[in-house]
Amino acid sequence: AAGEAEARLLLLQEARESIEAARSYRRELQQRLRGLHQARQQIKESATLTRDVLEQHFNDLKGTLKKLLDERLLSLLQEVDVIEQESIKPLDECQKLIEHGVSTADELLREGESAVDGDVGQHNEKLCNFTKKALHIQLDSLPEVPSLVDVPCLSAQLDDCLLTILKNQIFRHGTVASRPPVQLEEFVEKPGGILVRWCKVDEDFTPQDYRLQFRKGTASHFEDVYVGSETEFMVLHIDPNVDYQFRVCARGDGRQEWSPWSVPQLGRTTLVPHEWTAGLEGYSLSSRRNIALRNDSQSCGVLYSKAPTYFCGQTLTFRQVPPGIETVGQPDRRDSLGVCVEQQNGFDSLQRDKAVCISTNGAVFVNGKEMTNQLPAVTSGSTVTFDMEVVQLGPCSNEGGNFKLRVTISSNNREVVFDWVLDQCCGSLYFGCSFSYPGWKVLVF
């Protein structure tokens, strides 16, 4: 009996495992069915869109070609009118001259006939006047009439090779691509932004430039956000927890036209944007409060972030936005960019306890102490990044404990790496900056 019970338990266990395997198999099949549906939908939607694009394009071409042909016809007809008018004008003048000569000859004939047939008493006087008049008119002078070979004979020169050229060009115009040569590859969430990466998927395609577009939610039109040779771009001014649709295309080496667009994909960020604290005298902020400009106020102090929005595992980026320090003279040794555990008012620099920073001359400070390693100086257009990961020393609780962060600061293709030991757990940090002279303009993302 015990053996039968054990066998039954084994059978039940195998049955349950088979049922779970069947459920998993069904889920996978359903997932694949959804994938097939999406693929079929993409093919149909892209085919419909392609038909619409082709029909619209060729309708536009037909309209443009008709307009161009009408304009050319009008130009040629006007040219015929000009030649006709310019050629007829001298003939009209010659005709007037001849008609005047005929009229004069008719009058002279009447006078001559009257003189010959007149009275004997007036005969000699009339004959004498008629003879003098005939000599004055110069009856041997005749206007010259051009021969037919010397006057224009208009004709239209129409070369049928235009149709051959157009036919060859039209038959080669346009292509239908089944796959775009580039596709979106990855979306990386950033505070108030998305880092978009793409890659080439056609080995025979040699890209020269890329073009990235996006649109918010269900907006009808895509907008250009990047055109260039890089294969990634940080799209800023992204509202958190909102879907954005992205697409990318490329232009082949030596070509003018762009390739077909990639398959549109959705991207979003759940991270709130970094913002500077508003209202601090000495700094003016942009409308989104992600750019701080050191104004010409005499007030000094550290400008902090609005909240501790920098989390370990992310990359914090400061960028000096031109025009920058090129207009302000020598930087001050207290000038700095960095992160800190908490806001502490009353300091004129981040070169203090519970903070790490880089000064504008490239010196790195940890808890107020300068390191021996130094980075390149921060100048207009420079980009400085902070990366941190947690390396815990001992227990960490709500009451605090030893805590270590591995910090990497990069500037102008150089970096320093060090460990920052704290006496408390820090899941998020503030960022800040301090400048003594006006003209510094810092974007944070």
Side-chain angles (χ1 to χ4, degrees):
E4 290 180 358
E6 184 177 352
R8 178 174 174 78
L9 287 174
L10 288 174
L11 287 173
L12 285 173
Q13 180 65 28
E14 290 177 357
R16 291 191 182 99
E17 290 177 354
S18 297
I19 291 172
E20 185 59 35
R23 286 174 178 166
S24 177
Y25 181 63
R26 183 179 62 182
R27 285 195 299 268
E28 289 293 331
L29 289 176
Q30 289 173 339
Q31 180 67 27
R32 280 162 171 74
L33 280 175
R34 286 192 292 269
L36 284 174
H37 175 72
Q38 291 174 349
R40 182 178 288 105
Q41 186 176 7
Q42 176 175 300
I43 293 171
K44 288 184 173 295
E45 289 179 353
S46 62
T48 300
L49 178 61
T50 302
R51 290 188 191 97
D52 293 342
V53 169
L54 288 171
E55 289 175 358
Q56 183 63 47
H57 177 73
F58 277 86
N59 284 333
D60 291 344
L61 276 181
K62 285 189 285 186
T64 302
L65 284 173
K66 184 180 183 305
K67 181 181 177 181
L68 292 173
L69 288 172
D70 290 343
E71 289 177 354
R72 181 56 180 162
L73 174 59
L74 179 61
S75 175
L76 291 173
L77 291 176
Q78 289 174 345
E79 189 175 343
V80 171
D81 293 341
V82 169
I83 295 174
E84 180 184 24
Q85 292 170 7
E86 291 179 349
S87 302
I88 291 293
K89 184 178 179 180
L91 298 182
D92 289 342
E93 293 175 352
C94 185
Q95 180 176 341
K96 290 179 181 179
L97 183 60
I98 293 174
E99 288 175 349
H100 178 70
V102 170
S103 176
T104 301
D106 287 342
E107 183 181 351
L108 186 62
L109 282 172
R110 287 193 298 270
E111 290 183 10
E113 291 173 352
S114 176
V116 171
D117 298 335
D119 299 344
V120 176
Q122 298 178 345
H123 187 261
N124 292 336
E125 184 179 355
K126 285 186 176 182
L127 288 175
C128 183
N129 291 335
F130 168 72
T131 304
K132 287 180 180 180
K133 190 174 183 178
L135 291 173
H136 180 72
I137 292 176
Q138 297 180 350
L139 296 176
D140 58 345
S141 176
L142 296 172
E144 185 174 351
V145 176
S147 63
L148 293 179
V149 297
D150 294 328
V151 297
C153 180
L154 280 70
S155 62
Q157 309 294 305
L158 300 173
D159 193 346
D160 290 339
C161 70
L162 175 63
L163 294 176
T164 303
I165 295 172
L166 288 176
K167 181 179 178 181
N168 292 334
Q169 291 294 328
I170 289 172
F171 283 168
R172 290 198 299 266
H173 181 67
T175 57
V176 176
S178 60
R179 291 179 178 83
V182 291
Q183 291 284 12
L184 295 167
E185 184 178 31
E186 184 181 16
F187 298 100
V188 181
E189 290 187 60
K190 297 290 182 179
I194 301 175
L195 177 62
V196 184
R197 294 191 175 104
W198 54 89
C199 62
K200 184 181 74 166
V201 294
D202 184 351
E203 294 298 328
D204 297 328
F205 183 79
T206 303
Q208 175 180 305
D209 293 307
Y210 298 99
R211 181 181 178 189
L212 178 66
Q213 290 188 336
F214 84 128
R215 65 182 178 187
K216 182 178 180 180
T218 57
S220 58
H221 297 293
F222 281 90
E223 300 177 26
D224 284 342
V225 288
Y226 174 75
V227 175
S229 59
E230 301 296 327
T231 55
E232 66 177 35
F233 182 73
M234 171 71 74
V235 182
L236 298 175
H237 310 318
I238 295 293
D239 295 330
N241 301 309
V242 174
D243 285 335
Y244 287 80
Q245 199 170 39
F246 294 86
R247 66 182 186 181
V248 68
C249 65
R251 180 161 49 197
D253 190 20
R255 306 295 294 269
Q256 294 296 321
E257 72 277 6
W258 291 100
S259 74
W261 290 105
S262 66
V263 177
Q265 294 189 37
L266 293 178
R268 65 159 46 198
T269 181
T270 58
L271 306 175
V272 297
H274 291 319
E275 294 184 11
W276 297 103
T277 299
L280 180 65
E281 186 178 358
Y283 293 90
S284 304
L285 305 184
S286 64
S287 59
R288 289 181 175 266
R289 296 186 290 277
N290 61 339
I291 298 177
L293 171 65
R294 180 66 168 94
N295 55 39
D296 55 5
S297 171
Q298 297 300 315
S299 176
C300 292
V302 179
L303 177 65
Y304 292 103
S305 58
K306 180 181 178 181
T309 53
Y310 174 61
F311 296 88
C312 294
Q314 299 177 356
T315 297
L316 178 69
T317 303
F318 299 98
R319 180 174 297 161
Q320 285 296 326
V321 182
I325 63 169
E326 297 156 344
T327 62
V328 299
Q330 293 296 322
D332 191 275
R333 63 180 181 82
R334 297 168 296 173
D335 296 345
S336 52
L337 297 162
V339 297
C340 56
V341 175
E342 58 192 11
Q343 297 179 350
Q344 292 185 10
N345 298 321
F347 289 89
D348 61 358
S349 174
L350 278 174
Q351 300 167 18
R352 60 167 175 82
D353 187 37
K354 296 185 178 181
V356 294
C357 64
I358 175 176
S359 67
T360 51
N361 63 6
V364 177
F365 290 83
V366 182
N367 292 331
K369 296 180 180 179
E370 183 176 354
M371 296 181 61
T372 56
N373 293 335
Q374 185 162 331
L375 292 169
V378 179
T379 60
S380 179
S382 291
T383 297
V384 178
T385 62
F386 286 75
D387 291 275
M388 298 188 185
E389 59 179 335
V390 177
V391 182
Q392 189 167 330
L393 292 176
C396 181
S397 64
N398 292 332
E399 290 75 22
N402 291 330
F403 195 68
K404 181 166 68 173
L405 297 175
R406 183 150 299 157
V407 182
T408 302
I409 305 178
S410 303
S411 176
N412 293 333
N413 296 321
R414 289 180 57 187
E415 65 179 31
V416 294
V417 181
F418 57 90
D419 288 339
W420 182 22
V421 179
L422 300 169
D423 59 0
Q424 64 188 93
C425 295
C426 294
S428 60
L429 299 165
Y430 291 87
F431 56 85
C433 68
S434 60
F435 300 104
S436 300
Y437 296 98
W440 291 85
K441 192 175 182 181
V442 184
L443 167 67
V444 61
F445 59 89

